[in-house]
Amino acid sequence: MDPKKPIIALDFSNQEDLFNFLQQFEGQQLNVKVGMELFYAGGKPFLERIQAQGHDIFLDLKLHDIPNTVERAMAILASTGVAMVNVHAAGGKEMMAAALRGLEAGSNGKRPLLISVTQLTSTSTDQMNQEQGIPGEVLDSVLRYAELTKAAGLDGVVCSPLEAAAIKAACGPDFLTVTPGIRLDSSVADDQKRIMTPAKASRSGSDYIVVGRPITQADDAVATYHQIVSDWSGQK
């Protein structure tokens, strides 16, 4: 998965709309993110159809269960040939280590990158404090989860671009930060709370950026994508 290219979040309600969208990029290799809705509907054949077009997939299923279940599930996901998968850091160190074991056991050759979700970019401090029962600032929780993720042997975390620099300082420069919540200056924030432009995210230490609606809902998706590529890769 090329870090100089943004990961496009394919948040479509059906496969027809998704492949109509991808048709605009014929002949180009993309990094794309497939979430729960589309994967549960289409399964492995759906992933294979995307891969047949030359695209690399971040399979965003956020596994969170007992260690044994997550380990066996990861062994199955490894066989799909996707480039990146994830778990919830809230599942704990033992669960994350089990996920890594399963991924390594199920991989035929190079295993997918394995990252954890710290706090969702839709989470506010008040929500974290009141609903999750976690005191302090969001950054405190994110750093705790990031350090736990590193201790479990994973490659990195999903986090807000606002937290990438602090995570690099705490976990080292080789620990990956994958950051959604990316918006151009002209884009609306939607339901994201902690957002940043591509150029600022690059300067803040993001290794990969995830961009959805600013591209998929743009009047000219291809032009917007290349604008984001330029803004992002030009800073790297």
Side-chain angles (χ1 to χ4, degrees), residues 125-198:
T125 300
D126 183 66
Q127 181 185 5
M128 187 186 76
N129 296 159
Q130 300 301 319
E131 297 181 15
Q132 298 181 25
I134 299 175
E137 298 298 324
V138 170
L139 180 60
D140 300 327
S141 175
V142 167
L143 288 176
R144 187 179 304 112
Y145 281 139
E147 290 169 346
L148 190 66
T149 300
K150 183 178 180 182
L154 275 61
D155 299 298
V157 293
V158 179
C159 64
S160 161
L162 300 174
E163 297 139 5
I167 289 171
K168 291 288 188 180
C171 298
D174 295 330
F175 190 72
L176 297 178
T177 53
V178 180
T179 59
I182 302 298
R183 296 290 185 272
L184 293 168
D185 286 331
S186 59
S187 301
V188 297
D190 298 308
D191 56 354
Q192 304 279 8
K193 300 291 194 300
R194 308 192 314 278
I195 63 176
M196 190 176 285
T197 66

Side-chain angles (χ1 to χ4, degrees), residues 9 14 32 45 88 92 95 98 112 117 140 150 176 180-181 185-186 189 225 231:
N14 61 77
V32 299
H88 264 294
M95 186 208 75
V117 177
D140 300 327
K150 183 178 180 182
L176 297 178
D185 286 331
S186 59
Y225 170 76
D231 196 37

Side-chain angles (χ1 to χ4, degrees), residues 11 32-44 46-47 57-65 70 73-78 80 82 84-89 95 103 113-117 120 158:
D11 297 326
V32 299
K33 182 174 78 71
V34 172
M36 301 176 193
E37 182 179 2
L38 286 169
F39 178 72
Y40 294 156
K44 189 174 180 179
F46 166 64
L47 299 181
I57 299 173
F58 167 21
L59 186 57
D60 180 22
L61 301 183
K62 302 183 182 73
L63 273 62
H64 186 175
D65 211 311
V70 171
M74 277 296 178
I76 295 170
L77 294 181
T80 63
V82 297
M84 183 184 293
V85 291
N86 62 359
V87 297
H88 264 294
M95 186 208 75
L103 204 59
L113 294 169
L114 177 57
I115 60 177
S116 81
V117 177
L120 300 174
V158 179

